[in-house]
Amino acid sequence: MPSRRRPKTAGARRERVGVWVFGARGGLATTLIAGTRAVAHGLCPPLGLLTETELFAGVPLAKLDDLVFGGHEVRPGTLVDAAQEIHDRNGTIPLPVLHAVRKELTAIDKNIAAGTLVNAGRTIEEVVGRAAGGEHLRAVVARLERDITAFLRKHELTRCVCVNLTSTEPHLAPDKAHKSPAAFTAAIAANRRTAVRPSSLYAYVAARLRLPFIHFTPANAALLPAITALFVQHDTPFMGMDGKTGETLVKSSLAPMFKYRNLRVLTWQGYNILGDRDGAVLAHAENKRAKVETKDGLLPAILGYPLHTHVGIDYVPSLHDLKTAWDFVHFQGFLGCKMSMQFTWQGCDAILAAPVVLDMVRLADLAQRRGEGGPMPHLACFFKKPFGVGEHDLHRQWHALVEYVGRVRLEQRSRRNAT
Amino acid sequence: MPSRRRPKTAGARRERVGVWVFGARGGLATTLIAGTRAVAHGLCPPLGLLTETELFAGVPLAKLDDLVFGGHEVRPGTLVDAAQEIHDRNGTIPLPVLHAVRKELTAIDKNIAAGTLVNAGRTIEEVVGRAAGGEHLRAVVARLERDITAFLRKHELTRCVCVNLTSTEPHLAPDKAHKSPAAFTAAIAANRRTAVRPSSLYAYVAARLRLPFIHFTPANAALLPAITALFVQHDTPFMGMDGKTGETLVKSSLAPMFKYRNLRVLTWQGYNILGDRDGAVLAHAENKRAKVETKDGLLPAILGYPLHTHVGIDYVPSLHDLKTAWDFVHFQGFLGCKMSMQFTWQGCDAILAAPVVLDMVRLADLAQRRGEGGPMPHLACFFKKPFGVGEHDLHRQWHALVEYVGRVRLEQRSRRNAT
Amino acid sequence: MPSRRRPKTAGARRERVGVWVFGARGGLATTLIAGTRAVAHGLCPPLGLLTETELFAGVPLAKLDDLVFGGHEVRPGTLVDAAQEIHDRNGTIPLPVLHAVRKELTAIDKNIAAGTLVNAGRTIEEVVGRAAGGEHLRAVVARLERDITAFLRKHELTRCVCVNLTSTEPHLAPDKAHKSPAAFTAAIAANRRTAVRPSSLYAYVAARLRLPFIHFTPANAALLPAITALFVQHDTPFMGMDGKTGETLVKSSLAPMFKYRNLRVLTWQGYNILGDRDGAVLAHAENKRAKVETKDGLLPAILGYPLHTHVGIDYVPSLHDLKTAWDFVHFQGFLGCKMSMQFTWQGCDAILAAPVVLDMVRLADLAQRRGEGGPMPHLACFFKKPFGVGEHDLHRQWHALVEYVGRVRLEQRSRRNAT
Amino acid sequence: MPSRRRPKTAGARRERVGVWVFGARGGLATTLIAGTRAVAHGLCPPLGLLTETELFAGVPLAKLDDLVFGGHEVRPGTLVDAAQEIHDRNGTIPLPVLHAVRKELTAIDKNIAAGTLVNAGRTIEEVVGRAAGGEHLRAVVARLERDITAFLRKHELTRCVCVNLTSTEPHLAPDKAHKSPAAFTAAIAANRRTAVRPSSLYAYVAARLRLPFIHFTPANAALLPAITALFVQHDTPFMGMDGKTGETLVKSSLAPMFKYRNLRVLTWQGYNILGDRDGAVLAHAENKRAKVETKDGLLPAILGYPLHTHVGIDYVPSLHDLKTAWDFVHFQGFLGCKMSMQFTWQGCDAILAAPVVLDMVRLADLAQRRGEGGPMPHLACFFKKPFGVGEHDLHRQWHALVEYVGRVRLEQRSRRNAT
């Protein structure tokens, strides 16, 4: 992955940053990796990327071209296959991009190791086409760690951000193993497989290796108290969960308006239809539950009162990644008059999510360099269920990010002036 | 208009506040007047009214029941007729409300005097059914002033807010008479009728009488430099223009979302269809122009770049006041991928606007009591083209209001503590 | 129920026709009864009624004013209460109509007897607020028959059409009792309650009494082979099932278009949201199943190939009877290009259904007078699952009706000419 | 253009059919030509093509592979350029198709001659980038004829269908030259340029050469009485005008439904937004007028009464060929209740139109071989303003086509049996 922009010179040592992706050949990961390279090469404008806007001028983020990708994956195939499939189905990775990054994708494939399917649930196993083997949990953890450390060594990386982009897992029931790092470690040692899902192991490994962690899926199994406590102990930044990129994004942008005018929302019905592996996995009741939960809570939080809400997710194979959502809002105003608004959102999920992941990778790396361990509440605007943040109003979340960036920039300047 | 809540006692002198409405029997004014009485009587919950929410707890606003209505009107008929027509067509003034306030409406009718049609344009004249007579401008101004002062005297009012709710007038061409209060007064003296429209005269009279003024229509003829300067000289609050209650409200709530994600909006097409007098007047090209102009400017202001926009307004008699808008947003994200979103808004215009007017009447009265003359930028969130405010992001506008209210409340407290 | 139009004279004996409604105080029945009276009185134009259009000129249908209503009902209350509730919630029965027909509704209430709840299912029992008692099936049948014959006697009626407008029942499992009239009668005698639902008993009674029967609900329990055979034996017209009045109506009108252009429909997703008792009952899985089944079959029938379809029905209390449906159609054309269309339907269910019921009552009465027993395939256009008709294309169904009416008219003429 | 399917053998002489396209390198023509070749090669299924469905089994249509394309064009560039541009903008001509037909397109380019811009109007001239020269009309006609006859000779064609796919021209004012073939010929001889537009000359030349003619655009200048009379005199089939492929298609499919239920349509508002050259041309008032007229007339024709309608067309460059339409239908039913329906149509114009053109080319060729001269009313279902046909109900139009095909098939069989 040679940089065209910053030649490696003796004086200015180039600092490359690892991006370790759990679910590294999924639709989102493939779009993320191919897209980052395309933007780094200047093939596409950096649309969708907030960190490439004026807002971040003067903020010392890792260069896109300095990101080195690797990851874990449970499915067979290559990144090029995955990218080609995306092109064929959605056209969202344009052919010129695919051609330009083909070789790089093949090189990155060498950084991708076998993931784990421990207790992933039947649906994911069916989609993947195989079940978890009998490997002891301790062995799994050790193996996952080895894969990542080998990657860091191979590419001489001192920094690396982990991102969870795996398919939505079924809800994991509470377990005493989740209570503390010690309890969790004991469960691993005891090979208590029902206490974990793949996401738990991935997050645990990231925490153990002190690598910042972005949990982008709705799985409840990753940010268990045991694991977030470990991140905090290790002073390592993390954030999640469930990237906010479509219908929920619109919801959290629109709902405050009703509050501003004291218009009482009586009903907010939302229907999402989508295809692809994501849709297939979510078509299964147990996997859907996790997703719906994170999507459904924010309206009462924004509006301040209970209301009739519904979030449907249905599998429509012909749509592939072109997610379509219809929302119907019934509200009441002056003199009790009922009125309504409806919207249809038609967005490519991976196209919307990939730059958000990339933004957060850079911000997590920045946080670690700045010594900010634990949850990153300034990233709340990117999540349906932001860890530790009760604020769901997109605009207040946004202002929190703007404020954070302002603080960073200020400190940058005073540091520079100090020198 | 007897108060059921606060009996007039010798000790606690009741402070009533006038609300002088230009266009006093139009659909919006009728809904405003009948609705205020209905809410004051406890017949309807105060939905749509921001000033009745928790946000304003502790802010010394005029009581709804203490508002005394009067105004100018060019059309014949009674308030009861107008309310009945609204009930028959839209059902938005429910029958029980109509019955309950019928007598009060008849009483208020006595506070309504003949307005002016000077240079109102052919469309409005046709809708009204007659043209302006030959009355000299100086006589018109004197008459309008007399009407208002008589109203104040009759009801023993020391405070009164003026609101312009007249039909959308055609654009008024710039004129040297608009440059200063003196120039304007000279034009009145010289009977230069083409330099003014009814809105100009109404606003001028409010400024002369030092009454706070809310300009709720899109007419450019009211807040002329000559007139706003007079408000400032007289230390009298005013604000405008063009109430933001429907499609534009949604727009200004939604557009920031695209900015937050660096999604490039390529196109924002908006189509509004509506009936009633409002629709009939706007169906005429010259009257529509004023409206479209105030609706169309905010997207580039929020997004920060030029884009393809369109705002259509078409007359659909069968809809009456049920305004329906369809907006189509075409946007581009990561890897150049084009996506879209569309919304349909179905709202009753007068029902959405009336409580906003009421909120602003109370806030304008508050401002005057607090000695705040000139424009009221904290009311920007209520207008499509807020006077002197470049910010169109609904959320930032809202925060400005919240901040203002917080400041008022703080001062209230310290004043109370001081006592 | 005095007629304003046809004075009762000695010479021209007035022929009145009974309309016996199962579910006589439900939303649909109330709208039907109040609406028929309103139209008969000339208070409302006969919109929605096909039998009042030019198409039926010269066809000897029963006069609206000659229809005499009665029926069975399981819920308490009066027709006036029911009509008032509809006015308050939906406004679809306007106040002037309510006032004008109030007395007639009270009179009709005397024609309404207690229905049956035998094996109606838990959901309906909960909505009604009580369960079926222990009355033997034979006694139930005898009682229902007595109620109807008493009504006929009281009003001196020789003709009467029965209509089933009860709430959607759960699916009734096939049973040997359904195989023949004899088997069914035996099951009644044996008090085998699980072999029937209320709809079965209502239909059975109509068939026994040789009264034409319109089955307007999606319950599979009414048109059992045992019962339809009895109608045929008795040379009595009947038709069903599940009135086509909203989303499915649009579907059956639109789907042929895709066939005409060889555009391949990949997916047709439909989401229905509605409130009221209907919505509450359908919110229950077992009751919904019956409905969804009749809604979902028609697309493959029209298009001629299997496709991905979905029909959702969700309960949204705030909507009351204002049913809203969103359909998304994904289709493929030349060069494999995928395109889409979506529609939103906002219609008042009872307002759409009532005139269709009325049309069919008149047509069923006509059929009986013409000696046409058995199923009425010319009414297929009014049903989601027309009995014995495979054709779901609305336009072909319509042409079948037009042809039938033409035939009737022709025979009328030749009969007249013969005289 | 070698056939892969029917090898040229000595015995079975292959009958090829010319397709002469006016506007041969426009978006629609390019999609038509590239698409026909792609389907002929078996690269894409024949979706969108009615003539490839079971309906036409046994009907002796020209083989797709036997169609030879040529035409007139006023713009510079090549078919390959045009196809590449379509791929880049819309993706509707997939890359594999483009690669597969590239050579054939280059060969067809040799069959494309310079068209004419006589009196085409300023908008088209601006889009094309040049104006008509001073060539005398007689010379233009002679030149156009020479081009076509040379094409026929070169490819040894005895049959050829002409299709007008040029950009929408402004309305042509009535002129005495339009009254008869003789008057028209005289106007040509007199070089009366304001009496014609390019479409007039193209249609005239087709009529003179006795070649069947499909007028697919909304220009009123082609099927002038003078010209259709000439087609009739020459016993040559023709049909038009304005292909029905999007919003109007849906309209004509949906509107009958309201009639079937006696639901009174109060308002039908339609808004079309589209990009590309088509959109740019239609953005000009004079060109739009022609289009709107053909789109707007059909509702009263179907419904049988006047109603409030509106058809908007706006230019949205970012959409390119992805035409989007929003229609709002306001209707009234039982008891005067107002309800509404809205739909959004998102279709690629050229993708929808190309197979319709191809269907009609084959049917026009069939008609000529069957000796059917003059208008082809059985093609009414394909046009917004079918020549000489008052029926706009899509379903009745469709049945007319089905009936025609049935008649042809029957005659085929009896002919075969006779042999």
Side-chain angles (χ1 to χ4, degrees), chain C residues 31-32 34-36 38-39 44-50 52-53 92-94 97 244-246 249-251 253-264 322 328 331-352 354-356 358 381-383 393-396 398-399 402, chain D residues 31-32 34-36 38-39 44-50 52-53 92-94 97 244-246 249-251 253-264 322 328 331-352 354-356 358 381-383 393-396 398-399 402:
Chain C
T31 305
L32 167 69
T36 303
V39 176
C44 302
L47 283 179
L49 272 172
L50 201 55
E52 290 289 314
T53 62
T92 50
I93 298 185
V97 164
K244 181 158 81 171
T245 57
L249 178 69
V250 181
K251 242 183 203 169
S253 176
L254 211 48
M257 182 189 78
F258 295 97
K259 192 182 65 184
Y260 300 166
R261 292 296 162 91
N262 194 18
L263 296 167
R264 179 143 198 128
L322 185 64
F328 177 83
F331 61 95
Q332 196 167 23
F334 203 48
L335 304 183
C337 183
K338 285 182 183 179
M339 294 163 282
S340 67
M341 128 158 232
Q342 54 187 283
F343 68 80
T344 301
W345 171 263
Q346 294 175 293
C348 293
D349 237 25
I351 285 295
L352 290 161
V356 170
L358 203 42
C381 66
F382 297 121
F383 289 106
D393 177 326
L394 181 67
H395 313 287
R396 294 187 177 281
W398 164 258
H399 295 152
V402 170
Chain D
T31 304
L32 167 70
T36 303
V39 175
C44 303
L47 284 178
L49 271 171
L50 200 56
E52 290 290 313
T53 62
T92 49
I93 299 185
V97 164
K244 181 158 79 174
T245 58
L249 178 68
V250 180
K251 241 182 205 170
S253 177
L254 211 49
M257 181 189 79
F258 295 96
K259 194 183 62 186
Y260 300 168
R261 293 295 163 91
N262 193 17
L263 296 167
R264 177 139 199 132
L322 185 65
F328 176 82
F331 61 96
Q332 196 168 22
F334 204 49
L335 304 185
C337 182
K338 285 183 182 180
M339 295 166 279
S340 68
M341 129 159 231
Q342 55 186 281
F343 68 80
T344 302
W345 170 264
Q346 294 175 293
C348 292
D349 235 27
I351 286 296
L352 290 161
V356 170
L358 204 42
C381 67
F382 297 122
F383 289 105
D393 177 326
L394 182 67
H395 313 288
R396 294 187 177 280
W398 164 258
H399 295 154
V402 169

Side-chain angles (χ1 to χ4, degrees), chain C residues 27-172:
Chain C
L28 173 48
T30 305
T31 305
L32 167 69
I33 296 170
T36 303
R37 295 310 310 146
V39 176
H41 286 314
L43 294 171
C44 302
L47 283 179
L49 272 172
L50 201 55
T51 48
E52 290 289 314
T53 62
E54 201 47 41
L55 177 65
F56 285 87
V59 176
L61 298 167
K63 298 267 181 303
L64 290 185
D65 205 21
D66 288 343
L67 301 180
V68 184
F69 291 94
H72 281 116
E73 176 58 73
V74 290
R75 280 181 299 134
T78 67
L79 270 174
V80 169
D81 291 347
Q84 182 72 52
E85 189 187 325
I86 289 171
H87 170 76
D88 292 347
R89 291 197 174 165
N90 310 319
T92 50
I93 298 185
L95 218 54
V97 164
L98 212 160
H99 290 329
V101 303
R102 184 182 289 265
K103 276 191 191 164
E104 295 176 331
L105 294 186
T106 302
I108 294 168
D109 259 328
K110 291 184 192 137
N111 301 336
I112 300 180
T116 176
L117 277 168
V118 172
N119 199 25
R122 202 176 313 166
T123 307
I124 291 177
E125 286 175 11
E126 277 167 16
V127 166
V128 169
R130 62 182 181 83
E135 199 182 10
H136 191 285
L137 283 188
R138 211 158 30 189
V140 174
V141 167
R143 176 168 63 79
L144 298 175
E145 282 191 16
R146 266 199 319 276
D147 294 335
I148 300 176
T149 50
F151 166 72
L152 299 178
R153 251 195 329 273
K154 174 177 162 199
H155 296 279
E156 302 176 35
L157 304 169
T158 52
R159 286 145 53 197
C160 181
V161 177
C162 294
V163 190
N164 185 18
L165 304 181
T166 56
S167 285
T168 297
E169 299 164 349
H171 194 85
L172 178 64

Side-chain angles (χ1 to χ4, degrees), chain B residues 229-248:
Chain B
L230 195 60
F231 276 111
V232 171
Q233 278 175 23
H234 287 184
D235 218 21
T236 302
F238 73 93
M239 196 61 186
M241 76 192 207
D242 204 6
K244 182 158 78 174
T245 57
E247 185 220 14
T248 312

Side-chain angles (χ1 to χ4, degrees), chain D residues 70-143:
Chain D
H72 281 116
E73 177 57 73
V74 289
R75 279 183 298 134
T78 68
L79 271 174
V80 168
D81 292 347
Q84 182 72 52
E85 190 187 323
I86 290 171
H87 170 77
D88 293 346
R89 290 195 174 168
N90 309 320
T92 49
I93 299 185
L95 221 52
V97 164
L98 210 160
H99 290 329
V101 304
R102 184 181 289 265
K103 275 190 191 165
E104 294 177 331
L105 294 185
T106 302
I108 293 167
D109 259 328
K110 291 183 191 136
N111 301 336
I112 300 179
T116 176
L117 278 168
V118 171
N119 198 26
R122 206 177 309 168
T123 307
I124 292 177
E125 286 176 11
E126 275 166 18
V127 167
V128 169
R130 65 184 179 79
E135 200 182 8
H136 191 285
L137 283 187
R138 209 157 36 187
V140 175
V141 167
R143 177 169 62 79

Side-chain angles (χ1 to χ4, degrees), chain A residues 26-276:
Chain A
L28 173 48
T30 305
T31 305
L32 168 69
I33 296 171
T36 304
R37 296 310 309 145
V39 176
H41 286 314
L43 293 171
C44 303
L47 284 179
L49 270 170
L50 201 56
T51 48
E52 290 289 313
T53 63
E54 201 48 39
L55 177 66
F56 285 87
V59 176
L61 299 167
K63 298 266 180 310
L64 291 185
D65 205 21
D66 289 343
L67 302 180
V68 183
F69 290 95
H72 280 116
E73 176 58 73
V74 290
R75 279 181 302 133
T78 67
L79 270 174
V80 168
D81 292 347
Q84 182 72 51
E85 190 187 325
I86 290 171
H87 170 76
D88 293 347
R89 289 195 175 168
N90 309 321
T92 49
I93 300 186
L95 218 55
V97 164
L98 211 160
H99 290 329
V101 304
R102 183 181 291 265
K103 277 192 191 163
E104 294 176 331
L105 294 186
T106 304
I108 293 168
D109 259 327
K110 292 186 190 135
N111 300 337
I112 300 179
T116 176
L117 277 168
V118 171
N119 198 26
R122 206 177 308 168
T123 308
I124 291 177
E125 286 175 12
E126 276 167 17
V127 167
V128 169
R130 64 183 180 80
E135 197 182 9
H136 190 287
L137 283 186
R138 209 158 34 188
V140 175
V141 166
R143 175 168 64 79
L144 298 175
E145 284 193 14
R146 267 200 317 275
D147 294 334
I148 299 176
T149 51
F151 166 72
L152 298 177
R153 252 198 324 276
K154 175 178 160 199
H155 295 279
E156 301 177 33
L157 303 169
T158 53
R159 286 145 53 197
C160 180
V161 177
C162 294
V163 189
N164 185 20
L165 304 181
T166 56
S167 286
T168 297
E169 298 164 350
H171 195 84
L172 179 63
D175 190 295
K176 60 175 186 193
H178 304 162
K179 292 206 174 138
S180 69
F184 193 82
T185 306
I188 298 290
N191 199 25
R192 289 223 308 105
R193 307 173 86 84
T194 56
V196 302
R197 297 221 182 272
S199 288
S200 321
L201 300 178
Y202 294 144
Y204 178 63
V205 164
R208 280 171 56 96
L209 295 178
R210 296 166 192 255
L211 300 179
F213 180 70
I214 299 296
H215 179 44
F216 204 73
T217 90
N220 77 322
L223 299 186
L224 303 167
I227 291 169
T228 57
L230 196 59
F231 275 112
V232 171
Q233 277 175 24
H234 286 186
D235 218 21
T236 302
F238 72 92
M239 195 61 187
M241 75 193 208
D242 204 7
K244 181 158 80 172
T245 58
E247 186 221 11
T248 313
L249 178 68
V250 181
K251 243 182 204 170
S252 66
S253 175
L254 211 48
M257 182 189 76
F258 294 97
K259 193 181 63 185
Y260 300 166
R261 292 295 162 93
N262 192 20
L263 296 168
R264 178 142 198 130
V265 179
L266 305 168
T267 297
W268 195 308
Q269 297 284 114
Y271 296 94
N272 296 269
I273 52 179
L274 76 164
D276 270 358

Side-chain angles (χ1 to χ4, degrees), chain D residues 90-342:
Chain D
N90 309 320
T92 49
I93 299 185
L95 221 52
V97 164
L98 210 160
H99 290 329
V101 304
R102 184 181 289 265
K103 275 190 191 165
E104 294 177 331
L105 294 185
T106 302
I108 293 167
D109 259 328
K110 291 183 191 136
N111 301 336
I112 300 179
T116 176
L117 278 168
V118 171
N119 198 26
R122 206 177 309 168
T123 307
I124 292 177
E125 286 176 11
E126 275 166 18
V127 167
V128 169
R130 65 184 179 79
E135 200 182 8
H136 191 285
L137 283 187
R138 209 157 36 187
V140 175
V141 167
R143 177 169 62 79
L144 298 175
E145 284 193 15
R146 267 199 319 274
D147 294 335
I148 300 176
T149 51
F151 165 72
L152 299 177
R153 254 197 324 275
K154 176 179 161 197
H155 295 280
E156 301 175 36
L157 303 168
T158 53
R159 286 146 54 197
C160 180
V161 177
C162 294
V163 190
N164 185 20
L165 305 181
T166 55
S167 286
T168 297
E169 298 165 350
H171 195 83
L172 180 63
D175 190 294
K176 62 177 185 197
H178 304 163
K179 289 201 177 145
S180 68
F184 193 81
T185 306
I188 297 290
N191 199 25
R192 289 226 306 106
R193 308 172 84 84
T194 54
V196 302
R197 297 220 184 270
S199 288
S200 321
L201 301 178
Y202 294 145
Y204 179 64
V205 163
R208 281 170 55 96
L209 296 177
R210 296 166 191 257
L211 300 178
F213 179 69
I214 299 296
H215 179 43
F216 203 74
T217 88
N220 78 323
L223 301 185
L224 302 168
I227 291 170
T228 58
L230 196 58
F231 275 112
V232 171
Q233 277 175 24
H234 287 184
D235 219 20
T236 301
F238 73 92
M239 196 61 186
M241 75 192 207
D242 205 4
K244 181 158 79 174
T245 58
E247 186 222 11
T248 313
L249 178 68
V250 180
K251 241 182 205 170
S252 66
S253 177
L254 211 49
M257 181 189 79
F258 295 96
K259 194 183 62 186
Y260 300 168
R261 293 295 163 91
N262 193 17
L263 296 167
R264 177 139 199 132
V265 179
L266 305 168
T267 297
W268 195 308
Q269 297 284 115
Y271 296 94
N272 296 269
I273 52 180
L274 76 163
D276 270 358
R277 236 162 254 114
D278 235 39
V281 169
L282 287 171
H284 293 265
E286 48 174 7
N287 304 60
K288 194 196 295 197
R289 189 161 76 103
K291 187 83 181 179
V292 168
E293 265 172 21
T294 66
K295 286 175 82 80
D296 212 9
L298 91 177
L299 286 170
I302 294 176
L303 295 168
Y305 49 84
L307 66 155
H308 182 93
T309 66
H310 174 90
V311 177
I313 306 180
D314 287 306
Y315 179 46
V316 171
S318 68
L319 282 173
H320 295 308
D321 192 44
L322 185 65
K323 197 183 191 170
T324 299
W326 179 70
D327 274 40
F328 176 82
V329 188
H330 205 202
F331 61 96
Q332 196 168 22
F334 204 49
L335 304 185
C337 182
K338 285 183 182 180
M339 295 166 279
S340 68
M341 129 159 231
Q342 55 186 281

